[in-house]
mmCIF file of all heavy atoms in Angstrom:
data_model
loop_
_atom_site.group_PDB
_atom_site.id
_atom_site.type_symbol
_atom_site.label_atom_id
_atom_site.label_comp_id
_atom_site.label_asym_id
_atom_site.label_seq_id
_atom_site.Cartn_x
_atom_site.Cartn_y
_atom_site.Cartn_z
ATOM 1 N N THR I 2 101.707 115.020 108.471
ATOM 2 C CA THR I 2 102.255 115.815 109.481
ATOM 3 C C THR I 2 103.457 116.658 108.951
ATOM 4 O O THR I 2 104.057 116.317 107.962
ATOM 5 C CB THR I 2 102.793 114.917 110.666
ATOM 6 O OG1 THR I 2 103.787 114.076 110.163
ATOM 7 C CG2 THR I 2 101.654 114.136 111.278
ATOM 8 N N SER I 3 103.719 117.745 109.645
ATOM 9 C CA SER I 3 104.845 118.588 109.218
ATOM 10 C C SER I 3 106.165 117.888 109.692
ATOM 11 O O SER I 3 106.354 117.595 110.853
ATOM 12 C CB SER I 3 104.665 119.940 109.875
ATOM 13 O OG SER I 3 105.815 120.713 109.629
ATOM 14 N N VAL I 4 107.048 117.810 108.725
ATOM 15 C CA VAL I 4 108.382 117.187 108.994
ATOM 16 C C VAL I 4 109.443 118.230 108.659
ATOM 17 O O VAL I 4 109.362 118.814 107.540
ATOM 18 C CB VAL I 4 108.603 115.936 108.288
ATOM 19 C CG1 VAL I 4 109.989 115.349 108.481
ATOM 20 C CG2 VAL I 4 107.518 114.915 108.638
ATOM 21 N N THR I 5 110.396 118.468 109.521
ATOM 22 C CA THR I 5 111.487 119.367 109.152
ATOM 23 C C THR I 5 112.517 118.624 108.351
ATOM 24 O O THR I 5 112.914 117.477 108.746
ATOM 25 C CB THR I 5 112.092 120.032 110.424
ATOM 26 O OG1 THR I 5 112.614 118.947 111.239
ATOM 27 C CG2 THR I 5 111.140 120.871 111.143
ATOM 28 N N ILE I 6 112.995 119.209 107.311
ATOM 29 C CA ILE I 6 113.979 118.566 106.410
ATOM 30 C C ILE I 6 115.342 119.212 106.840
ATOM 31 O O ILE I 6 115.532 120.415 106.739
ATOM 32 C CB ILE I 6 113.643 118.825 104.942
ATOM 33 C CG1 ILE I 6 112.291 118.201 104.581
ATOM 34 C CG2 ILE I 6 114.774 118.298 104.061
ATOM 35 C CD1 ILE I 6 111.758 118.487 103.240
ATOM 36 N N ASN I 7 116.265 118.326 107.197
ATOM 37 C CA ASN I 7 117.580 118.746 107.622
ATOM 38 C C ASN I 7 118.476 119.193 106.373
ATOM 39 O O ASN I 7 118.669 118.276 105.563
ATOM 40 C CB ASN I 7 118.261 117.616 108.394
ATOM 41 C CG ASN I 7 119.554 118.074 109.035
ATOM 42 O OD1 ASN I 7 119.874 119.271 109.057
ATOM 43 N ND2 ASN I 7 120.250 117.150 109.555
ATOM 44 N N THR I 8 118.869 120.393 106.281
ATOM 45 C CA THR I 8 119.608 120.860 105.096
ATOM 46 C C THR I 8 121.025 121.359 105.491
ATOM 47 O O THR I 8 121.514 122.343 105.019
ATOM 48 C CB THR I 8 118.873 121.975 104.423
ATOM 49 O OG1 THR I 8 118.607 123.046 105.256
ATOM 50 C CG2 THR I 8 117.565 121.480 103.797
ATOM 51 N N SER I 12 124.340 116.625 105.236
ATOM 52 C CA SER I 12 123.190 116.031 104.563
ATOM 53 C C SER I 12 123.209 116.276 103.112
ATOM 54 O O SER I 12 122.899 115.410 102.278
ATOM 55 C CB SER I 12 121.878 116.480 105.171
ATOM 56 O OG SER I 12 121.755 116.164 106.543
ATOM 57 N N TYR I 66 117.361 119.004 96.873
ATOM 58 C CA TYR I 66 117.233 118.131 97.999
ATOM 59 C C TYR I 66 115.877 118.282 98.672
ATOM 60 O O TYR I 66 115.280 117.303 99.051
ATOM 61 C CB TYR I 66 118.351 118.510 98.992
ATOM 62 C CG TYR I 66 118.338 117.658 100.267
ATOM 63 C CD1 TYR I 66 118.737 116.339 100.324
ATOM 64 C CD2 TYR I 66 118.026 118.260 101.459
ATOM 65 C CE1 TYR I 66 118.762 115.623 101.523
ATOM 66 C CE2 TYR I 66 117.959 117.650 102.698
ATOM 67 C CZ TYR I 66 118.320 116.263 102.663
ATOM 68 O OH TYR I 66 118.305 115.532 103.785
ATOM 69 N N ILE I 67 115.439 119.559 98.798
ATOM 70 C CA ILE I 67 114.124 119.756 99.466
ATOM 71 C C ILE I 67 112.991 119.173 98.656
ATOM 72 O O ILE I 67 112.106 118.514 99.161
ATOM 73 C CB ILE I 67 113.912 121.305 99.676
ATOM 74 C CG1 ILE I 67 114.920 121.781 100.846
ATOM 75 C CG2 ILE I 67 112.479 121.583 100.054
ATOM 76 C CD1 ILE I 67 114.901 123.247 100.996
ATOM 77 N N MET I 70 113.149 115.348 98.980
ATOM 78 C CA MET I 70 112.719 114.858 100.271
ATOM 79 C C MET I 70 111.139 114.963 100.402
ATOM 80 O O MET I 70 110.492 114.120 100.981
ATOM 81 C CB MET I 70 113.349 115.642 101.377
ATOM 82 C CG MET I 70 114.836 115.307 101.566
ATOM 83 S SD MET I 70 115.042 113.525 102.082
ATOM 84 C CE MET I 70 116.164 113.012 100.895
ATOM 85 N N LYS I 71 110.646 116.062 99.926
ATOM 86 C CA LYS I 71 109.175 116.191 99.934
ATOM 87 C C LYS I 71 108.504 115.120 99.104
ATOM 88 O O LYS I 71 107.480 114.546 99.461
ATOM 89 C CB LYS I 71 108.703 117.567 99.491
ATOM 90 C CG LYS I 71 109.052 118.620 100.532
ATOM 91 C CD LYS I 71 108.483 119.974 100.163
ATOM 92 C CE LYS I 71 108.814 120.998 101.237
ATOM 93 N NZ LYS I 71 108.298 122.298 100.971
ATOM 94 N N LEU I 74 108.651 111.968 101.091
ATOM 95 C CA LEU I 74 107.673 111.927 102.176
ATOM 96 C C LEU I 74 106.254 111.613 101.603
ATOM 97 O O LEU I 74 105.496 110.836 102.234
ATOM 98 C CB LEU I 74 107.747 113.246 102.871
ATOM 99 C CG LEU I 74 108.873 113.479 103.796
ATOM 100 C CD1 LEU I 74 108.934 114.888 104.322
ATOM 101 C CD2 LEU I 74 108.984 112.469 104.961
#
Side-chain angles (χ1 to χ4, degrees):
T2 61
S3 175
V4 176
T5 58
I6 298 172
N7 188 9
T8 58
S12 297
Y66 178 73
I67 290 173
M70 289 295 127
K71 286 185 178 181
L74 289 171

